[in-house]
Amino acid sequence: MALDVAAIRAEFPILAREIDGHPLVYLDSANTSQKPRAVIDAMVRCMEHSYAPINRSAYRLAAEATDAYEAARTAAKRFVNAPKAHELVFTKNATEALNLVATSWGRANLHRGDVVVLTQMEHHANIVPWHMLATEIGIELRWVPLTPDGQLDLASLPALLDGAKAFSFTAMSNVLGTITPVAELCRAAHDAGAIAIVDGCQYVPHNVTDVQAWDADFLAFSSHKLCGPSGIGVLWGREALLDAMPPFLGGGNMIADVRLDGFTTAELPAKFEAGTPPIIEAVGFGAAIEFLEGIGMTEIRRHEMQVAEYALRTLTERFGDDITIHGPTNVEQRGATFSFAFRGIHPHDLSQVLDQRNVCVRAGHHCAKPLMRILGAAATARASFYLYNDESEVDVLADTLDGASDIFGF
Amino acid sequence: MPGLEDLYREIILDHYRSPRNRGELPPPAAHAVGHNPLCGDEIEVYLDVQDGVVHDIKVGGQGCSISQSSASMMSQAVKGKTIDEVRALVHRFKSMMSIEELDDADPSVEVKLGDLEALQGVVKFPVRIKCAVLSWNTLTEALEQAGA
């Protein structure tokens, strides 16, 4: 069944906002998503009704807050079909989750000369932590190249994975929209004796996620991209791997005992959750997951494929060679995130002009500078669609792009 | 498009379409590269300083209309100027961009912004100020390298 986008939009208070008489056309959800009333209300209710410290006090209010925090973990477990709730560690965001793996798993398991394989379409969050490890202990990084239409070129994968200890890759590119064959990549990693680390930051908000079907070892994702608040994300990892890893941050909550001569760590997941966590954010995160589940991830994916199809067709038909859309042209192989170049107008200028009609797009390198160098662009404009966007917003985008040419005279 | 006239003035678009002093200078000319880490814009400034005067300047790199036109106008404005005049101009430009105070300017150095006045409208678009200032920061770095 088709999504009732009007009804969904009514759930997002910010989408009613106008600037200079123009309705908000929010096409920047790959950056961060807007928040539905259910999330806002859950967070306000937590603060007004049941806010207290978690995990450390005997009174009822604290028990209530602890239950609400743990309910979010259970929701996240269900959302990605993880085997066990305590395999999900709450982090600040996907970036911190990937840093946790690189730092904690990496330092314990990698030695000078060991190989970690990444792809050329990674976000900086899945590059820089490994560069840092390379500087620290001298690991070697290898890169899976791309095909001309922005997919992973898997021909060289077995050779790249030969002798590798880890393969860390995105499930969906934040620049190209490309959806990668995660299960196949996990299998290739395991065949080579490497672990498979999945950056699900862009994928999880838009698709059904099943870490068991993938046979992944780690998965990182963020709340703020799936209609939840910023400030909280998840690292899911196999219990045996997490158990064997040293802690990441030290402090309260992550210890079993502390003495003058040392410490022992708490059980999972507390072992990786030092300090007071984002409690209110966890409640909002849980509400966001329930909101998306209520609509259905299969339905959301189907809707976004329709919008992606319409966007590709409309932009191509209207602008022909004047527009270059990066990434796959088959919507089965991509999400509704489009980086594009338009008539030689710099993306920063495009974004400025689009803003005059309250059309919000990202302009820049999208925290993926190695990929941008491969595309031969210092920057692109990026329009990204979510469950609350529809075809009419593609039309507004196209109409406003047309207006940009008038200013620059191209 | 209404609202953008102050930003995209004709003189700015003219410098964007036909940037002045584009190119490179061979060593021993000073060379500095500036990056805007947020949007990926990149400006290269080559500076040939002789006897305390900017004998020649060339600009390379890529970026939006604001960063490119600012660099182009800057290159015109500093060519032939003494180092003191260039520093005063940098200061004057940055104060126009509201990121430096004008009070402590050296009153003995006369500064004319000329075409650069056209970039005044950028101040109304705070996110674009860094675009306009990128080439000026790169120029300052090139001055340091030139030992000026």
Side-chain angles (χ1 to χ4, degrees):
Chain A
M1 210 179 77
L3 286 196
D4 183 349
V5 177
I8 289 172
R9 289 181 69 84
E11 299 288 330
F12 289 78
I14 203 171
L15 296 181
R17 184 162 176 212
E18 297 189 347
I19 300 179
D20 292 342
H22 297 294
L24 181 64
V25 179
Y26 188 77
L27 305 182
D28 203 15
S29 297
N31 219 329
T32 194
S33 63
Q34 297 298 348
K35 318 305 172 200
R37 176 60 68 193
V39 169
I40 298 165
D41 287 351
M43 295 175 76
V44 170
R45 184 173 161 77
C46 170
M47 285 184 279
E48 289 182 344
H49 189 75
S50 41
Y51 184 71
I54 60 156
N55 289 346
R56 61 183 68 155
S57 300
Y59 46 87
R60 277 166 294 173
L61 195 63
E64 224 172 273
T66 305
D67 287 349
Y69 180 75
E70 289 305 323
R73 197 187 312 276
T74 307
K77 165 201 178 294
R78 192 174 63 232
F79 198 56
V80 301
N81 194 32
K84 296 166 186 164
H86 63 248
E87 293 176 326
L88 287 98
V89 173
F90 283 137
T91 60
K92 190 168 68 181
N93 44 35
T95 295
E96 190 180 81
L98 289 165
N99 274 272
L100 197 169
V101 177
T103 305
S104 184
W105 181 88
R107 280 192 193 146
N109 292 281
L110 297 175
H111 303 93
R112 174 167 297 279
D114 280 348
V115 172
V116 172
V117 179
L118 307 171
T119 85
Q120 290 183 344
M121 63 165 85
E122 296 311 311
H123 185 281
H124 293 166
N126 195 26
I127 297 176
V128 181
W130 302 106
H131 272 318
M132 288 161 65
L133 210 54
T135 306
E136 188 183 319
I137 60 178
I139 60 169
E140 178 193 342
L141 300 183
R142 293 181 189 157
W143 304 87
V144 179
L146 307 183
T147 63
D149 71 336
Q151 301 197 60
L152 295 179
D153 182 351
L154 299 180
S156 56
L157 187 62
L160 290 169
L161 281 171
D162 186 30
K165 292 276 174 66
F167 181 19
S168 191
F169 55 89
T170 185
M172 175 175 153
S173 162
N174 69 313
V175 176
L176 303 167
T178 310
I179 291 174
T180 61
V182 178
E184 185 183 340
L185 300 179
C186 289
R187 192 163 57 244
H190 293 155
D191 285 350
I195 63 160
I197 303 159
V198 182
D199 174 2
C201 202
Q202 295 289 333
Y203 181 93
V204 172
H206 303 279
N207 298 274
V208 175
T209 302
D210 186 335
V211 294
Q212 297 187 67
W214 279 346
D215 199 21
D217 296 303
F218 289 104
L219 170 71
F221 62 105
S222 287
S223 151
H224 74 96
K225 284 188 178 24
L226 52 80
C227 300
S230 55
I232 188 165
V234 167
L235 173 69
W236 167 80
R238 284 184 197 273
E239 183 177 30
L241 287 168
L242 290 171
D243 265 338
M245 282 156 57
F248 178 49
L249 301 175
N253 195 54
M254 53 73 71
I255 52 92
D257 188 23
V258 182
R259 300 168 310 277
L260 292 179
D261 63 351
F263 73 99
T264 50
T265 55
E267 297 293 307
L268 293 174
K271 174 181 168 183
F272 292 108
E273 292 182 359
T276 295
I279 299 166
I280 303 156
E281 289 78 2
V283 169
F285 184 21
I289 289 172
E290 283 173 12
F291 173 79
L292 292 177
E293 286 174 332
I295 295 165
M297 295 312 294
T298 306
E299 287 71 22
I300 290 171
R301 168 65 178 150
R302 193 180 301 134
H303 168 72
E304 291 180 14
M305 283 170 75
Q306 276 171 25
V307 175
E309 184 88 58
Y310 183 78
L312 282 167
R313 190 171 66 240
T314 303
L315 295 172
T316 310
E317 279 175 6
R318 280 186 64 167
F319 302 120
D321 291 342
D322 286 348
I323 196 164
T324 304
I325 300 172
H326 298 290
T329 51
N330 179 347
V331 296
E332 299 279 349
Q333 296 159 340
R334 61 143 53 245
T337 290
F338 301 97
S339 288
F340 58 94
F342 183 72
R343 291 182 184 156
I345 302 174
H346 191 280
H348 217 153
D349 292 317
L350 268 184
S351 151
Q352 185 85 60
V353 173
L354 291 170
D355 181 53
Q356 292 306 107
R357 287 284 176 274
N358 211 3
V359 178
C360 308
V361 301
R362 168 88 186 263
H365 55 60
H366 317 294
C367 301
K369 289 193 87 167
L371 172 58
M372 300 304 287
R373 289 201 178 90
I374 290 162
L375 296 177
T380 65
R382 182 187 66 189
S384 51
F385 297 79
Y386 204 5
L387 74 164
Y388 40 66
N389 298 117
D390 65 12
E391 286 85 347
S392 73
E393 292 173 295
V394 174
D395 293 332
V396 177
L397 172 68
D399 291 345
T400 317
L401 281 174
D402 235 351
S405 310
D406 301 340
I407 291 176
F408 293 96
F410 292 116
Chain B
M1 195 169 285
L4 290 179
E5 307 86 350
D6 289 338
L7 186 64
Y8 295 127
R9 306 267 295 273
E10 193 45 47
I11 181 104
I12 291 177
L13 295 172
D14 178 61
H15 276 270
Y16 179 43
R17 292 188 195 110
S18 320
R20 323 297 200 265
N21 298 306
R22 251 336 254 192
E24 301 176 6
L25 292 174
H31 175 216
V33 184
H35 296 274
N36 182 336
L38 290 172
C39 63
D41 281 9
E42 193 177 287
I43 296 275
E44 295 190 62
V45 171
Y46 297 86
L47 204 58
D48 177 7
V49 178
Q50 293 180 18
D51 304 325
V53 172
V54 175
H55 181 69
D56 200 2
I57 178 170
K58 293 283 185 199
V59 177
Q62 50 181 337
C64 66
S65 57
I66 302 303
S67 74
Q68 295 297 294
S69 62
S70 181
S72 171
M73 290 189 239
M74 176 191 81
S75 71
Q76 276 191 319
V78 304
K79 207 163 170 176
K81 294 271 197 311
T82 67
I83 297 305
D84 284 348
E85 288 169 335
V86 171
R87 289 199 184 279
L89 185 66
V90 172
H91 181 59
R92 179 70 187 277
F93 183 80
K94 286 190 174 180
S95 54
M96 184 172 85
M97 290 295 114
S98 73
I99 54 175
E100 280 183 14
E101 296 286 338
L102 200 52
D103 315 345
D104 53 348
D106 179 354
S108 68
V109 183
E110 198 194 344
V111 181
K112 285 208 182 84
L113 283 172
D115 284 0
L116 287 162
E117 297 270 13
L119 285 164
Q120 183 124 42
V122 172
V123 178
K124 288 192 202 164
F125 301 84
V127 294
R128 304 305 293 275
I129 290 175
K130 60 185 179 348
C131 311
V133 175
L134 177 61
S135 56
W136 296 81
N137 288 336
T138 314
L139 172 66
T140 304
E141 209 178 297
L143 283 171
E144 305 296 328
Q145 288 191 16

